[in-house]
Amino acid sequence: MTTVTFHMEGSRITGFEAAGHSGYAPAGEDIVCAAVTSAVRLVECTVNDVMGLGARVQVREEAAGISLRLPGGLAAPAESTCQSLLTGLMVYLAELHSEYPDFVEVLEA
């Protein structure tokens, strides 16, 4: 199962961790794993490459996992955009969980 844990400070999403393989299908054929990976990569690339926050945002990649942490003190426009991106990711993954409840889990911590 793929587990995505969103880290919260009040209503602010400070980051997330995604870990594990969904197990829906063999590697290279797993549409659930591909959906999670694509969504996570889109957010990571937008925050780091498009918004230019790569020097401030912590991204760690490990075997079958990735985590992203936002720093405190972002300028208001960047904070707002990051919150929209992370909230959108959370909603998308919750919908994916509704479709594939045995293969993807979304948590808040």
Side-chain angles (χ1 to χ4, degrees), residues 18-107:
H21 290 289
S22 74
Y24 181 78
E29 299 174 19
D30 193 326
I31 62 170
V32 176
C33 218
V36 171
T37 300
S38 274
V40 165
R41 287 287 182 196
L42 177 62
V43 169
E44 184 268 328
C45 287
T46 302
V47 168
N48 285 333
D49 301 328
V50 175
M51 296 178 67
L53 297 176
R56 298 193 61 201
V57 173
Q58 294 179 5
V59 176
R60 292 195 175 109
E61 294 183 53
E62 300 169 9
I66 186 170
S67 66
L68 181 142
R69 292 283 183 276
L70 294 178
L74 290 174
E79 178 68 27
S80 177
T81 300
C82 287
Q83 290 305 304
S84 292
L85 286 166
L86 291 171
T87 300
L89 178 63
M90 185 185 288
V91 169
Y92 171 77
L93 293 173
E95 289 293 323
L96 197 60
H97 168 74
S98 294
E99 293 179 43
Y100 301 96
D102 296 333
F103 303 99
V104 62
E105 182 173 42
V106 181
L107 305 170

